[in-house]
């Protein structure tokens, strides 16, 4: 277990004395999603080095502050800071190459947020194997204009969307509406989305903005134009609560015919209508799997991904909203169901082997958010049974039943203990996933 989150120099010194019998995994970030990936790989004996940005003041010795939950896990062998790639991509590359050099073996990178996955691909550090497609392919999938154009060509339903003339100079495709034309077609409220969300998030602090009237709409588009960010206007979908579905998959370089995939239903979100998933369960929705894999295949993407669909009550069909080309918060659900996506990705670029024994019905719960919902929303009814709660409290869920969790594992108590330690202090980890 990593006994501390080290400085870059401290991590390099520690790795110089380490020995690895196979390529270690570089897992970034070192929080909830990274923890899920680390546990999935550790179950097959893969050593894990968790890398993240430092979180404030220096600690004692070679340790630095970090509020993420992966470093206390028994699944993480070493953990430490690297230059945040959005601040300095060259510095990030140099740090990673120095870490790999100190480890004395090549490594396999797992970027668990968009910025980390894209940065590993763009920096292309020496000695690092990428179990996912390169940066050009990632950009095509993450670019909403390209994604929706692919949906249009394949007949995959998606929300009504217009690329706006006011920001077309920064876009990758021609505009198809002015602000007035989009407003007339969509009505209000509507949502404004960027083609590529990284710059938009940096400028606006979010990746989507809902606007209530024409004045707000014009202001947001004008601000995006000033930042030279291409944006689109999208119909605000009347979403059926509890019917959001995603395809969790690993597509190998051989193509989508050989994909390992599980459909998950985000049955409960926190907050309820617009938050992140806190209860997800396997679902039988072959149309979602077929449509998502068709989009990935058309883009030439290989690697782990989550294709997000919402159910539009007006159109009475599932609409593709987004594709995340990396692991995500509930990555441990498909793993527990029998589809260890991180291990399949690792095996594809190393001498390791992995084959799924089949997928079983499984539910995943993130107890921190689920308990907050139970405590704070009188309209929400508990969807776990008394037997589920007994298995959770006793830890028996790790050995029996069809329920797994994010963070809380009695057999690996460090992350949950750290969550208790950091939950009630006046600071917030930079990423909720």
């Amino acid at each position: 277990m990593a006994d501390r989150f080290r400085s870059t120099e401290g991590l390099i010194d520690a790795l110089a004395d380490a020995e690895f019998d196979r390529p270690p995994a570089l897992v970034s970030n070192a929080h909830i999603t990274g923890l899920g990936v680390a546990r999935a790989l550790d179950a097959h004996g893969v050593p894990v080095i968790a890398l993240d940005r430092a979180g404030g003041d220096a600690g004692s010795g070679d340790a630095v502050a970090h509020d993420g939950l992966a470093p206390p896990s028994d699944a993480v062998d070493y953990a430490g800071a690297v230059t945040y790639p959005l601040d300095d991509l060259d510095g990030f590359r140099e740090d990673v190459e120095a870490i790999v050099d100190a480890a004395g073996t090549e490594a396999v990178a797992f970027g668990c947020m968009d910025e980390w996955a894209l940065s590993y691909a763009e920096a292309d550090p020496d000695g690092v194997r990428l179990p996912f497609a390169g940066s050009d392919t990632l950009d095509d999938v993450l670019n909403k204009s390209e994604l929706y154009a692919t949906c249009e060509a394949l007949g995959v339903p998606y929300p009504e969307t217009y690329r706006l003339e006011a920001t077309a100079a920064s876009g990758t495709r021609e505009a198809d509406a002015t602000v007035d034309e989009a407003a007339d077609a969509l009505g209000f409220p509507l949502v404004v989305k960027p083609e590529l969300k990284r710059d938009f998030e940096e400028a606006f602090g979010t990746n989507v903005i809902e606007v209530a009237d024409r004045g707000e709409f014009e202001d947001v588009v004008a601000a995006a134009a000033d930042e030279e960010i291409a944006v689109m206007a999208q119909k605000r979908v009347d979403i059926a609560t509890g019917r959001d579905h995603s395809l969790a998959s690993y597509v190998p370089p051989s193509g989508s015919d050989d994909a390992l995939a599980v459909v998950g239903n985000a049955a409960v979100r926190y907050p309820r209508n617009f938050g992140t998933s806190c209860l997800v369960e396997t679902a039988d929705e072959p149309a979602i799997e077929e449509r998502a894999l068709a989009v990935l295949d058309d883009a030439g993407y290989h690697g782990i991904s989550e294709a997000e669909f919402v159910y539009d009550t007006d159109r009475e069909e599932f609409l593709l909203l987004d594709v995340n080309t990396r692991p995500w918060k509930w990555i441990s659900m498909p793993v527990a169901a029998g589809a260890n996506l991180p291990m399949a990705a690792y095996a594809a670029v190393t001498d390791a082997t992995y084959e799924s024994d089949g997928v079983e019905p499984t539910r995943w719960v993130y107890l921190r958010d689920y308990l907050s919902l139970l405590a704070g929303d009188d309209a929400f009814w508990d969807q776990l049974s008394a037997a589920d709660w007994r298995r959770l409290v006793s830890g028996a869920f790790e050995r029996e039943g069809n329920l797994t969790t994010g963070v809380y594992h009695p057999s690996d108590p460090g992350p949950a203990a750290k969550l208790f330690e950091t939950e009630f202090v006046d600071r917030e980890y930079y990423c909720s996933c």
Side-chain angles (χ1 to χ4, degrees):
M1 179 186 76
D3 59 354
R4 74 198 78 170
F5 188 79
R6 301 173 187 266
S7 66
T8 307
E9 296 76 13
L11 178 60
I12 290 169
D13 289 343
L15 290 172
D17 296 328
E19 293 185 4
F20 297 100
D21 60 357
R22 68 196 70 187
L26 306 179
V27 177
S28 306
N29 61 18
H31 197 39
I32 299 169
T33 305
L35 173 62
V37 172
R39 284 171 169 168
L41 295 170
D42 177 68
H44 291 264
V46 177
V48 173
I49 303 171
L51 302 178
D52 207 339
R53 63 203 263 189
D57 297 334
S60 59
D62 67 353
V64 294
H66 180 260
D67 287 345
L69 302 178
S73 171
D74 291 338
V76 176
D77 297 274
Y78 297 89
V82 290
T83 300
Y84 189 48
L86 296 189
D87 293 337
D88 181 358
L89 186 64
D90 289 336
F92 169 72
R93 180 192 302 108
E94 291 170 4
D95 287 351
V96 172
E97 288 180 346
I99 287 166
V100 171
D101 184 62
T105 178
E106 291 191 330
V108 181
F110 288 85
C112 299
M113 296 298 294
D114 287 343
E115 65 265 32
W116 293 103
L118 283 165
S119 296
Y120 275 118
E122 291 172 359
D124 192 23
D126 290 341
V128 175
R129 306 178 192 180
L130 299 182
F132 52 87
S135 57
D136 289 344
T137 302
L138 291 181
D139 284 340
D140 285 345
V141 177
L142 295 174
N143 183 314
K144 293 294 192 299
S145 287
E146 298 293 335
L147 177 65
Y148 294 148
T150 298
C151 289
E152 186 73 28
L154 297 176
V156 174
Y158 65 98
E160 185 178 357
T161 305
Y162 296 93
R163 295 180 292 274
L164 297 175
E165 185 178 281
T167 63
S170 305
T172 56
R173 285 180 170 265
E174 292 184 4
D176 39 30
T178 65
V179 165
D180 288 339
E181 290 168 343
D184 291 341
L186 299 174
F188 293 99
L190 59 81
V191 296
V192 179
K193 284 186 171 182
E195 271 196 352
L196 291 167
K197 65 184 181 183
R198 281 193 297 172
D199 290 342
F200 191 84
E201 283 183 331
E202 185 174 342
F204 295 95
T206 182
N207 59 25
V208 60
I209 296 176
E210 182 174 312
V211 295
D213 55 42
R214 193 177 298 263
E216 288 185 14
F217 185 25
E218 291 173 349
D219 288 346
V220 171
V221 174
D226 289 342
E227 297 286 343
E228 299 183 346
I229 298 171
V231 295
M232 302 172 289
Q234 188 171 90
K235 182 178 179 61
R236 184 182 182 275
V237 179
D238 187 9
I239 295 172
T241 301
R243 295 198 64 183
D244 298 349
H245 284 65
S246 294
L247 183 73
S249 70
Y250 170 70
V251 176
S254 58
S256 60
D257 287 345
D258 299 318
L260 181 61
V262 178
V263 176
N265 167 216
V268 181
R269 291 185 178 275
Y270 176 74
R272 285 284 285 141
N273 294 323
F274 57 87
T276 60
S277 303
C278 67
L279 180 65
V280 183
E281 53 196 16
T282 52
D284 183 18
E285 292 286 352
I288 285 178
E289 180 172 346
E290 178 183 349
R291 291 169 178 174
L293 291 179
V295 169
L296 295 172
D297 190 60
D298 185 83
Y301 177 75
H302 70 270
I304 294 172
S305 69
E306 177 203 16
E308 298 181 279
F309 291 78
V310 296
Y311 189 81
D312 186 336
T313 55
D314 292 335
R315 292 168 58 172
E316 297 184 334
E317 61 183 347
F318 287 103
L319 311 181
L320 179 62
L321 274 189
D322 204 356
V323 176
N324 299 310
T325 52
R326 37 76 179 172
W328 57 97
K329 192 172 186 177
W330 51 272
I331 184 67
S332 53
M333 188 278 269
V335 174
N340 192 324
L341 307 181
M343 189 59 204
Y346 179 88
V349 294
T350 66
D351 293 335
T353 59
Y354 172 75
E355 185 172 347
S356 171
D357 293 328
V359 172
E360 298 292 335
T362 302
R363 294 169 297 158
W364 172 92
V365 62
Y366 180 46
L367 286 171
R368 175 196 178 278
D369 288 353
Y370 191 80
L371 290 169
S372 296
L373 190 60
L374 283 173
D377 188 338
D378 293 338
F380 176 68
W381 288 84
D382 189 6
Q383 298 189 26
L384 300 179
S385 68
D388 290 331
W389 284 113
R390 284 194 295 270
R391 283 194 290 269
L392 286 168
V393 173
S394 69
F397 75 94
E398 293 191 86
R399 302 181 299 276
E400 61 185 49
N402 64 349
L403 184 64
T404 191
T405 62
V407 181
Y408 170 65
H409 281 198
S411 64
D412 182 24
K418 187 173 182 182
L419 183 59
F420 280 120
E421 294 170 9
T422 58
E423 181 66 12
F424 304 107
V425 297
D426 188 23
R427 64 180 186 265
E428 184 178 345
Y429 185 69
Y430 77 93
C431 169
S432 63
C433 294

